[in-house]
Amino acid sequence: MKSQRLHPVSFLLTGIIFLLLFGVITWGVYFENSWIHSFDLSWIERIQGTISEGKTSFIMFMTELGSMKAVIAMTIIICIVLFFKRKFAEGLWFGGTILFCAAIGGKVLKKIVDRDRPAFLQLIEKTNESFPSGHATATTIFYGFIGMVLILAVYQVWKKIIIGFITLIWIGFILFTRIYLGVHFPTDVLAGFVYGLAAVFISIGIYLLVREPLRQLLRKLHLADHSQAFKRAR
């Protein structure tokens, strides 16, 4: 086995670019720029113009797979499995990313921006802050994280493309459900998406920088770490 040649700087820079995009959207929302209003209204009209009873029931069920509660529950299960397999570094990395970037980071951003929910057709009732979308943030970080790790773990380009396509389609669908249900502005979910991508890329970059020191620390604690992220056969 050998490690793929992954450069932390490239991941960190990509993450920073997405973070800057998030900053642009946040600035526009916070200061109520006209382009934000136009963008939101345009996409709300397109997406909520397709509402039907059967579709709504299906979407109300599926959207919960991207909720923060569901993501936290699935994260706990994955971390337990990783710890059971003695992949402590990977478990700490994955769990820490979801905890600090999705759960805590998303909540802090909501409190800072303090944007009201859309005053349009709401198919389900939500009362807390709107920006960024918690579902969009949690979905992008959780599923995007898993998708990116799988993409980096395989060698064949066609496999990378398929994994990336499925990941983006699934994330995009969850983002669509939040606008369809009338609980988020399009810029809420777009912001959650780019913030989530920033978190994923920055998290990978940091892990590449600290994984060896982390594994050394675990060895000093008498924990034999078997983490193999970003490794493939010769």
Side-chain angles (χ1 to χ4, degrees), residues 213-232:
L214 177 59
R215 296 185 71 182
Q216 290 175 15
L217 175 61
L218 290 170
R219 282 195 290 269
K220 289 181 181 179
L221 297 174
H222 305 291
L223 296 173
D225 183 62
H226 297 162
S227 298
Q228 293 183 325
F230 310 138
K231 289 186 177 182
R232 60 179 173 82

Side-chain angles (χ1 to χ4, degrees), residues 37 40-41 44 48 117-123 182 185:
H37 183 69
D40 283 336
L41 285 182
I44 287 173
Q48 287 206 314
R117 296 275 178 173
F120 302 104
L121 176 62
Q122 284 196 12
L123 302 181
F185 293 101

Side-chain angles (χ1 to χ4, degrees), residues 42-51 55 176 179-180 186:
S42 174
W43 282 100
I44 287 173
E45 289 176 358
R46 294 180 189 180
I47 293 174
Q48 287 206 314
T50 63
I51 288 176
K55 185 190 296 185
F176 167 85
I179 303 170
Y180 178 94

Side-chain angles (χ1 to χ4, degrees), residues 60-120:
M60 288 176 66
F61 172 76
M62 295 300 292
T63 193
E64 290 309 311
L65 295 176
S67 69
M68 192 66 72
K69 290 181 180 179
V71 163
I72 290 174
M74 290 186 287
T75 298
I76 291 173
I77 293 172
I78 291 174
C79 287
I80 290 173
V81 172
L82 290 172
F83 289 154
F84 181 77
K85 293 185 175 182
R86 305 189 69 81
K87 296 184 178 184
F88 302 112
E90 292 175 8
L92 292 171
W93 170 41
F94 182 69
T97 300
I98 301 300
L99 174 63
F100 291 105
C101 297
I104 297 177
K107 190 65 176 178
V108 170
L109 289 169
K110 279 179 174 287
K111 292 296 183 182
I112 292 173
V113 180
D114 194 26
R115 188 187 199 186
D116 292 332
R117 296 275 178 173
F120 302 104

Side-chain angles (χ1 to χ4, degrees), residues 60-199:
M60 288 176 66
F61 172 76
M62 295 300 292
T63 193
E64 290 309 311
L65 295 176
S67 69
M68 192 66 72
K69 290 181 180 179
V71 163
I72 290 174
M74 290 186 287
T75 298
I76 291 173
I77 293 172
I78 291 174
C79 287
I80 290 173
V81 172
L82 290 172
F83 289 154
F84 181 77
K85 293 185 175 182
R86 305 189 69 81
K87 296 184 178 184
F88 302 112
E90 292 175 8
L92 292 171
W93 170 41
F94 182 69
T97 300
I98 301 300
L99 174 63
F100 291 105
C101 297
I104 297 177
K107 190 65 176 178
V108 170
L109 289 169
K110 279 179 174 287
K111 292 296 183 182
I112 292 173
V113 180
D114 194 26
R115 188 187 199 186
D116 292 332
R117 296 275 178 173
F120 302 104
L121 176 62
Q122 284 196 12
L123 302 181
I124 57 175
E125 185 177 351
K126 292 289 182 180
T127 57
N128 61 343
E129 301 87 354
S130 184
F131 183 96
S133 164
H135 276 66
T137 300
T139 295
T140 304
I141 295 178
F142 180 80
Y143 296 105
F145 187 102
I146 294 174
M148 183 60 69
V149 170
L150 291 175
I151 287 171
L152 296 172
V154 300
Y155 179 72
Q156 295 90 340
V157 174
W158 67 270
K159 289 183 179 180
K160 294 178 183 289
I161 293 174
I162 291 175
I163 294 170
F165 178 76
I166 293 174
T167 302
L168 286 175
I169 289 295
W170 174 245
I171 294 173
F173 171 71
I174 297 296
L175 270 57
F176 167 85
T177 67
R178 307 313 290 167
I179 303 170
Y180 178 94
L181 294 171
V183 293
H184 279 294
F185 293 101
T187 45
D188 293 340
V189 300
L190 180 60
F193 177 65
V194 295
Y195 168 73
L197 289 178

